[in-house]
């Protein structure tokens, strides 16, 4: 299965036929994946094309006539199939053992992280990969204003944890409005209260990070260690973004104002559902990154269908990705989410980017994944046709050059 260090590779002899062939000994062999069409994700489609992979990385992508295949390379002929980047989903809750991602005792939990509860054998990881999803941000739930930090994962089902983790602190998860409104009689029942709690903690985190930066530059004394603020340093040093559960026009504006205008953080507004689209023009003015879903449509004031993604795009929200909020929508149905966005008015190329390169850019891993580009991880899927057509479930899915799913396999 073309694993790193292996000298046995899987070659295809036409639709449905596969053959194990020996690769040359010595250096890591190159594998050439031939396809009728390759969608790079950040460029024009390539017909009669080839993708060259070596040691889990993409070496080259291009038309077969102009892309030399090295001597001794293993040929994997996908026949009439297409190749497409693996999908990236930034709003996922399905890589743990169940209900262990909402710690409801405290309204603010910036010291927590989902890394500690990843369960590589979780069935949803396998199913996500079967749907062409190769990278996810596994985040805490939305029961509190700050649920903790999510971890970025490759969907390598049943593998050692270190083979899944892309970045331990993928993003801090914040929830604004509805879900985190507390019913325990303490501060946080109202939006006024929850906003005050968030602002207080963010101000502490900002000052704590600034004090450590000053110390590192020789401009101040060493700050007292505060473990509850340590992970916030990565946010205020702009190494890690904030992903913010937000729905409704009022809360969308409040979120952008707080995290962009006041604190100037890297942030992604996630959901944007219900009447959030009515505030989209104000978000477009700020260049707010939006990660839309799981609801792909609303009803306007006249009772007509309104495509959520199209509404944001039409007023200028260009930094746009799509999510499933799995298991709200099944982990393997990100493809269907994009198809729904297209059916409701979003342009095809925008929808493809919204599940590949754009979420990778938003979360800061576009140097590794999101498009089929030389130097990036060989994360891709093989489909019988258009990868955003729900009739075309992936025939095969590769993560870093390793086959992780093949249609029809029984586990």
């Amino acid at each position: 299965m073309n694993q790193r260090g292996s000298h046995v590779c899987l070659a295809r002899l036409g639709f449905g036929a596969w053959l194990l062939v020996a690769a040359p000994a010595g250096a890591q062999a190159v594998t050439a994946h031939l396809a009728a069409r390759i969608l790079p994700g950040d460029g024009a489609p390539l017909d009669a094309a080839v993708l060259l992979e070596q040691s889990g990385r993409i070496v080259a992508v291009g038309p077969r006539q102009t892309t030399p295949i090295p001597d001794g390379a293993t040929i994997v002929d996908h026949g009439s199939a297409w190749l497409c980047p693996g999908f990236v989903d930034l709003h996922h809750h399905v890589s743990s053992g169940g209900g262990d991602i909402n710690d409801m005792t405290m309204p603010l939990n910036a010291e927590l992280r989902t890394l500690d509860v990843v369960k590589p054998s979780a069935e949803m990881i396998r199913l996500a990969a079967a749907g062409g999803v190769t990278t996810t941000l596994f985040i805490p739930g939305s029961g509190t204003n700050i649920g903790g930090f999510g971890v970025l994962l490759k969907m390598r089902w049943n593998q050692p944890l270190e083979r899944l983790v892309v970045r331990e602190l993928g993003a801090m998860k914040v929830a604004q409005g509805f879900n985190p409104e507390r019913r325990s009689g303490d501060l946080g029942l109202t939006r006024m209260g929850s906003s005050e709690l968030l602002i207080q903690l963010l101000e502490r985190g900002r000052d704590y990070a600034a004090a450590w930066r000053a110390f590192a530059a020789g401009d101040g004394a060493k700050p007292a260690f505060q473990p509850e603020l340590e992970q916030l340093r990565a946010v205020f040093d702009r190494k890690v973004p904030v992903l913010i559960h937000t729905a409704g026009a009022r809360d969308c504006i409040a979120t952008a104002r707080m995290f962009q205008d006041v604190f100037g953080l890297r942030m992604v507004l996630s959901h944007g559902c219900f009447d959030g689209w009515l505030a989209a023009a104000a978000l477009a003015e700020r260049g707010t990154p939006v990660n839309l879903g799981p609801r792909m449509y609303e009803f306007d004031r006249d009772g007509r269908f309104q495509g959520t993604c199209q509404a944001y795009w039409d007023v200028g929200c260009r930094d746009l990705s799509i999510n499933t909020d799995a298991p709200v929508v099944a982990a393997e149905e990100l493809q269907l989410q994009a198809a729904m966005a297209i059916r409701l008015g979003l342009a095809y190329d925008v929808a493809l980017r919204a599940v590949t390169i754009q979420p990778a850019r938003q979360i800061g891993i576009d140097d590794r994944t999101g498009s089929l580009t030389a130097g990036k991880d060989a994360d891709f899927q093989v489909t019988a046709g258009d990868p955003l057509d729900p009739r075309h479930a992936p025939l095969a899915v590769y993560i870093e050059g390793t086959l992780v799913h093949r249609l029809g396999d029984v586990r």
Side-chain angles (χ1 to χ4, degrees), residues 154-236:
K154 292 287 184 76
M155 296 288 94
R156 294 179 180 271
W157 179 69
N158 228 16
Q159 294 294 303
L161 178 61
E162 59 269 20
R163 297 201 71 207
L164 279 72
V165 175
V166 177
R167 194 169 73 214
E168 292 186 356
L169 298 184
M172 184 169 77
K173 168 64 183 302
V174 170
Q176 297 265 72
F178 302 105
N179 293 43
E181 292 164 10
R182 297 170 64 78
R183 304 297 174 187
S184 53
D186 56 354
L187 189 62
L189 172 64
T190 65
R191 283 171 172 78
M192 290 187 297
S194 62
S195 293
E196 176 61 18
L197 289 172
L198 271 171
I199 289 169
Q200 286 182 11
L201 184 62
L202 291 172
E203 287 177 341
R204 288 180 61 205
R206 176 197 60 198
D207 296 345
Y208 185 68
W212 276 103
R213 286 196 299 272
F215 171 69
D219 294 333
K222 185 176 182 179
F225 178 70
Q226 299 183 60
E228 74 278 13
L229 299 179
E230 270 298 298
Q231 294 185 154
L232 273 171
R233 286 176 59 187
V235 172
F236 283 95

Side-chain angles (χ1 to χ4, degrees), residues 352-378:
L352 180 62
R353 292 197 302 270
V355 291
T356 55
I357 189 60
Q358 207 58 33
R361 287 172 177 159
Q362 289 176 340
I363 210 66
I365 55 170
D366 52 305
D367 62 328
R368 286 194 58 179
T369 194
S371 66
L372 302 182
T373 305
K376 291 191 180 185
D377 295 348

